């Protein structure tokens, strides 16, 4: 039992469930210079080549679609910019004209002038302690903010 080594015979007999495989087929497979690994490698290389070709074809198609899409976007963008540019230019000229018309009224508010005079007076009285004038400064800021909002509403509200 195990004391003698197994010997391989030169003749192999393969059987399938239906019967024996033909002797000529088996002989041609045994005589073939290609091994299973070689056939597997060739099949793998063939599959890799097909995949690479398909990827290249898809990449070319994607590049074409991307190029066409970019051209369409550029064309639409140019059309939109021309419309936007002219309308923006008209809006700017309208706003500029309104600003020129109302440029003198920005400094005419009495409340702002009084608040500014109060800040100056407080700073002169408290020249060594300017932080004591915070109430006057806050009042000045509030008046300027109101004047700005009125001015912006006049200019932009009409557009």
């Amino acid at each position: 039992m195990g004391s003698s080594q197994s010997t391989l015979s030169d003749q192999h007999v393969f059987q399938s469930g239906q019967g024996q495989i033909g002797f000529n087929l088996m002989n041609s497979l045994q005589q073939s210079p290609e091994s299973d690994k070689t056939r597997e490698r060739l099949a793998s290389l063939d599959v890799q080549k097909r995949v690479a070709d398909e990827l290249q074809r898809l990449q070319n198609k994607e590049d074409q679609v991307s190029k066409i899409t970019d051209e369409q976007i550029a064309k639409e963008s140019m059309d939109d910019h021309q419309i936007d540019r002219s309308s923006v230019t008209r809006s700017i000229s309208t706003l500029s004209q309104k600003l020129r018309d109302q440029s003198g009224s920005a400094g005419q508010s009495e409340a702002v002038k009084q608040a500014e005079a109060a800040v100056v007076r407080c700073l002169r009285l408290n020249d060594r302690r300017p932080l004591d004038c915070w109430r006057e400064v806050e009042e000045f800021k509030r008046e300027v903010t109101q004047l700005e909002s009125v001015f912006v509403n006049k200019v932009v509200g009409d557009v």
Side-chain angles (χ1 to χ4, degrees):
M1 240 208 293
S3 62
S4 66
Q5 293 183 353
S6 301
T7 60
L8 296 175
S9 65
D10 289 338
Q11 181 104 5
H12 296 286
V13 177
F14 295 95
Q15 294 183 356
S16 67
Q18 299 296 326
Q20 292 186 346
I21 296 178
F23 178 73
N24 290 337
L25 175 62
M26 290 305 301
N27 193 23
S28 68
L29 286 175
Q30 287 178 349
Q31 299 298 326
S32 173
E34 293 181 340
S35 68
D36 288 340
K37 289 184 179 181
T38 307
R39 282 190 290 272
E40 185 179 320
R41 237 183 261 139
L42 289 174
S44 175
L45 289 174
D46 186 45
V47 169
Q48 287 178 0
K49 183 180 181 300
R50 287 182 187 173
V51 168
D53 291 344
E54 184 67 16
L55 284 174
Q56 185 63 39
R57 185 185 69 77
L58 290 174
Q59 182 66 36
N60 290 342
K61 187 175 180 179
E62 184 180 336
D63 288 344
Q64 287 177 340
V65 169
S66 176
K67 183 178 178 182
I68 290 170
T69 305
D70 289 345
E71 289 173 357
Q72 289 175 348
I73 290 172
K75 183 179 178 184
E76 291 173 5
S77 174
M78 289 178 67
D79 294 341
D80 291 344
H81 283 309
Q82 290 173 352
I83 292 170
D84 289 341
R85 191 176 301 142
S86 63
S87 64
V88 168
T89 304
R90 282 194 305 267
S91 297
I92 289 173
S93 64
T94 304
L95 288 174
S96 296
Q97 184 61 37
K98 287 182 180 182
L99 287 173
R100 276 188 238 113
D101 292 345
Q102 298 193 8
S103 63
S105 65
Q108 301 297 324
S109 173
E110 284 297 319
V112 173
K113 285 183 180 180
Q114 289 175 355
E116 180 183 11
V119 170
V120 171
R121 189 172 41 255
C122 180
L123 289 174
R124 286 188 179 151
L125 291 174
N126 300 309
D127 63 342
R128 298 195 186 267
R129 296 173 45 185
L131 294 178
D132 289 344
C133 299
W134 67 272
R135 286 185 189 97
E136 289 82 0
V137 170
E138 289 300 318
E139 177 65 24
F140 177 72
K141 286 181 183 179
R142 190 178 61 76
E143 292 296 331
V144 169
T145 303
Q146 286 178 353
L147 182 65
E148 286 175 346
S149 66
V150 168
F151 178 72
V152 168
N153 286 335
K154 283 182 184 177
V155 174
V156 179
D158 294 338
V159 174

